[in-house]
Amino acid sequence: MQISFEGKRALVTGAGKGIGRATALALARCGAEVTAVTRTQADLDSLTQECSSITPVCVDLADWKATETALQNVGPIHLLVNNAARVNLQPFLEVTPDQFDQSFNVNVKAVLHVSQIVARGMKARGSGGSVVNVSSQASQCALRNHAVYCATKGALDMLTKVMALELGPHQIRVNSVNPTVVMSERGRLTWSDPEKAKVMMDRIPLGRFAEVEDVVNSILFLLSDKSNMTNGVTLPVDGGFLTC
Ligand code: NAP
């Protein structure tokens, strides 16, 4: 199956590292004009060195006003990937209001905001579009020390569904991918303890963690016209974790 995004303009958040970076590069390889949004300039510098056609935007998505300003001249966008997120692992009884707010600001509120900005343009142009939110298996399964992260991703899944409901009539499809542990740099770091990794891996019928490419492929599928009738789904990319 060949996927081409020739003539399309895409925006990817959290494109400095990991899944977001790989998605931005894959979209560019498939012919899209890509805007990469993240908050660390050095990551954008190395990304544009790797792929000079990518347009960088440096902003902290937790800052509503700064995001509004940074994206005001971004132009028409056909494909949006809301990927940026933060993870703060804390036992439930030690969760602080500050960590709660920071996580919800990036993982949920910024998704709503960036999507509003992009979808208003899609609606005004009347030519539809596709949005993919990067969620997690943690949205649907309780994980120890993940109270806030699980809550943000659960909220993100419902946001995905309501966006699909309200934007569908404008031919804007909204779906999410819900990966298990992904072997991005962060994933490798977080799951480097073999004992901790084994407990999780034992619950995945395919017996392995996801590679970044596994997630990118599912994102590209949901962005593309190969999934034209798919709207409002939360697609596990989890080797079967959520079936158990
Ligand atoms: P990552 O390597 O940590 O990359 C996240 C990117 O988002 C970074 O470039 C980061 O920039 C950026 N970002 C974070 N906060 C931001 C903010 N406030 N404003 C702008 N950019 C911001 O993460 P990943 O492992 O690729 O994960 C990407 C997505 O997949 C996330 O939504 C995550 O929840 C989801 N996911 C990951 C896994 C996994 O095991 N890795 C599993 C399931 C789901 P800085 O580095 O500068 O902060």
Side-chain angles (χ1 to χ4, degrees):
M1 186 166 58
Q2 285 277 338
I3 292 179
S4 168
F5 294 115
E6 280 307 328
K8 302 281 187 195
R9 300 186 74 248
L11 189 149
V12 182
T13 71
K17 300 185 176 77
I19 296 165
R21 186 184 181 99
T23 302
L25 290 167
L27 280 164
R29 277 196 302 276
C30 292
E33 243 180 81
V34 178
T35 297
V37 181
T38 193
R39 63 176 174 174
T40 301
Q41 186 60 47
D43 288 340
L44 289 169
D45 292 344
S46 71
L47 183 63
T48 48
Q49 254 169 28
E50 196 173 341
C51 179
S52 59
S53 70
I54 290 179
T55 304
V57 174
C58 193
V59 67
D60 181 349
L61 292 163
D63 184 334
W64 185 279
K65 275 201 180 134
T67 301
E68 192 94 43
T69 306
L71 298 184
Q72 65 187 354
N73 295 322
V74 83
I77 297 293
H78 310 98
L79 312 167
L80 169 63
V81 182
N82 287 306
N83 163 80
R86 53 179 296 138
V87 192
N88 283 307
L89 301 189
Q90 287 173 310
F92 169 72
L93 291 176
E94 290 169 26
V95 171
T96 57
D98 186 43
Q99 295 295 349
F100 182 94
D101 289 345
Q102 284 179 23
S103 292
F104 267 86
N105 277 344
V106 181
N107 302 10
V108 186
K109 200 168 164 189
V111 174
L112 178 132
H113 189 207
V114 174
S115 301
Q116 282 180 331
I117 293 169
V118 168
R120 281 186 188 123
M122 287 174 173
K123 180 183 167 190
R125 288 190 304 281
S127 51
S130 182
V131 179
V132 174
N133 296 330
V134 181
S135 182
S136 168
Q137 67 183 13
S139 69
Q140 292 165 42
C141 180
L143 302 174
R144 200 167 294 281
N145 298 331
H146 282 66
V148 173
Y149 184 72
C150 284
T152 63
K153 294 300 188 179
L156 181 60
D157 282 4
M158 275 318 294
L159 184 62
T160 299
K161 291 181 191 194
V162 178
M163 285 169 64
L165 179 69
E166 293 193 17
L167 299 177
H170 306 289
Q171 303 311 309
I172 301 166
R173 296 183 299 110
V174 186
N175 296 289
S176 77
V177 289
N178 294 56
T180 183
V181 173
V182 184
M183 290 291 93
S184 63
E185 213 170 296
R186 177 161 66 77
R188 275 183 213 288
L189 211 69
T190 314
W191 295 89
S192 57
D193 172 2
E195 258 176 57
K196 180 180 163 189
K198 186 178 180 318
V199 173
M200 178 61 79
M201 191 106 65
D202 283 349
R203 295 171 65 183
I204 302 175
L206 288 186
R208 68 173 179 88
F209 291 149
E211 296 299 327
V212 169
E213 197 189 2
D214 296 320
V215 184
V216 172
N217 285 337
S218 294
I219 294 172
L220 296 187
F221 168 70
L222 288 174
L223 288 176
S224 79
D225 58 11
K226 308 296 182 201
S227 63
N228 261 350
M229 198 54 190
T230 304
N231 189 29
V233 306
T234 52
L235 178 69
V237 186
D238 68 347
F241 176 92
L242 287 172
T243 60
C244 303

